[in-house]
Structure formats: structure tokens, C-alpha cells
Amino acid sequence: MTHERDASWLDSRPSALPGDTELDAEQRLEYVDRIIGLEQQVRELQAAAILSPSETVAAERNLASIRGSATWRAGRAVMLPVRVLRYAKRRILR
């Protein structure tokens, strides 16, 4: 929200300008509106993230098959030194 308004639509009278109280009230309303919108987004994301039990089992089975593949195991072996260095870096910089 900008406190500077286009003067073309306002009267030149000082009483026509919004006061600090009105500007604060408007800002609070904007915050409330934003919070309501964010709460709705959270509800939508939570609803979308819930899997049915059969979907969960299928996803776990798919992940297990990926982790059991030769490509996964080879990638883990190749990246082992990188993972060790990251772990050591986190431990040292802690």
C-alpha cells in the first residue's frame, strides 16, 4: 500500500485527506486479507498432499524399486565422497 495518493482525485481540503488512523485501519485490513488468502493456500496444499493408502503403498513400492536399481546403487557409490565431504563440512562449521 502506498501512502502517497494521486492528488488529482482528492479535494484540496485537509479534511479530505485520509488520516493516520484511516491509513492504519486500511493497512490492517490488507494484512487480514493477505492472511486469509495464505491460510486458504495452506489448506489447498494440505488437501493436495494427502495420498490414499493405496497411493501411498504404490509410491513406496515405486521408491523401493528405484532404490534397488543398479543405476541408483552406482550413483550412490559415485557420490559417496561428495556426501562425506558435505557431512564433514556441516560438522566442522557447526
Side-chain angles (χ1 to χ4, degrees):
M1 182 181 97
T2 61
H3 292 290
E4 296 176 19
R5 305 284 178 145
D6 183 15
S8 64
W9 65 273
L10 292 174
D11 281 343
S12 59
R13 296 174 297 169
S15 63
L17 296 173
D20 289 338
T21 306
E22 289 85 10
L23 292 174
D24 289 341
E26 186 178 357
Q27 190 174 28
R28 279 194 301 274
L29 287 174
E30 286 179 358
Y31 288 146
V32 168
D33 185 47
R34 178 76 175 138
I35 289 169
I36 291 170
L38 290 172
E39 287 174 342
Q40 181 61 32
Q41 277 185 321
V42 168
R43 281 192 291 275
E44 290 172 3
L45 291 172
Q46 285 174 339
I50 297 174
L51 296 177
S52 69
S54 60
E55 291 173 329
T56 302
V57 169
E60 288 172 354
R61 200 174 298 146
N62 189 19
L63 184 59
S65 69
I66 289 172
R67 287 186 174 163
S69 69
T71 307
W72 177 269
R73 289 192 309 260
R76 293 276 295 175
V78 168
M79 294 302 293
L80 179 63
V82 175
R83 288 195 322 272
V84 169
L85 290 173
R86 280 189 197 149
Y87 177 77
K89 178 182 153 188
R90 280 194 303 259
R91 297 288 292 191
I92 291 170
L93 295 178
R94 207 192 242 188

